[in-house]
Amino acid sequence: MTGAKTAVEWLASVAPDPEACRWEWERSPLGVALLPAGRAWDVLILPGDLGCPTLDVLTRILDQPGPVLADFGDNRVGFLVPPGTAARWLGTGIRTAGPGTWIVVPYPGRSARGVRWLVPPDGSGTLTDPALLELAMHEAAAGPARKRDLGG
């Protein structure tokens, strides 16, 4: 439980009122809080059909990728990346959340309606390297094409 507590503190630290954020998580029936992107992290939001395979690639090459969110039904997958990434990202079909945007974030270690952690934060501040994420996206996108080429 120490990891969840540390993750809660890390996530809540970006809120305008961290105590209100923790209160919202603990008392809201939805189990989520709105947090501003662009302070401790930006978010790259991939369509689920690319995001899930990308996460599979990342977990094969990294011991621990940064935190990853998924919406209900895994239609979108959000990778927490270093601040400033959203402003520089040029990828087609990838939504970004940086300064001026807010993200629905579930309490670490609990299920919430509509959004969940695929890789929960551990409180250490570990984020996914955008260059590695881009490489993993290319690998994930090439996977289905490679299977078609091989007759799979």
Side-chain angles (χ1 to χ4, degrees):
M1 193 61 182
T2 304
K5 176 86 168 143
T6 304
V8 167
E9 298 303 319
W10 179 71
L11 287 167
S13 71
V14 303
D17 183 345
E19 193 58 42
C21 175
R22 287 189 291 275
W23 187 92
E24 182 70 20
W25 266 329
E26 292 169 7
R27 291 167 182 81
S28 167
L30 298 177
V32 298
L34 279 176
L35 293 178
R39 291 185 180 177
W41 35 261
D42 286 356
V43 184
L44 296 181
I45 305 163
L46 284 60
D49 59 351
L50 176 61
C52 291
T54 297
L55 179 57
D56 288 343
V57 171
L58 276 176
T59 56
R60 286 196 310 265
I61 60 174
L62 294 173
D63 289 336
Q64 179 68 28
V68 181
L69 290 164
D71 70 355
F72 182 73
D74 295 346
N75 292 318
R76 287 181 297 275
V77 177
F79 293 83
L80 275 65
V81 294
T85 303
R88 295 185 305 271
W89 194 261
L90 300 175
T92 304
I94 308 302
R95 295 175 53 200
T96 62
T101 58
W102 294 74
I103 299 295
V104 175
V105 179
Y107 187 93
R110 286 193 208 148
S111 296
R113 292 186 214 158
V115 65
R116 65 189 173 93
W117 291 106
L118 296 177
V119 178
D122 61 8
S124 70
T126 298
L127 299 168
T128 298
D129 180 302
L132 284 177
L133 179 59
E134 185 175 13
L135 291 171
M137 288 169 48
H138 287 290
E139 178 70 22
R146 193 175 312 124
K147 286 180 185 173
R148 281 193 308 274
D149 292 345
L150 296 174

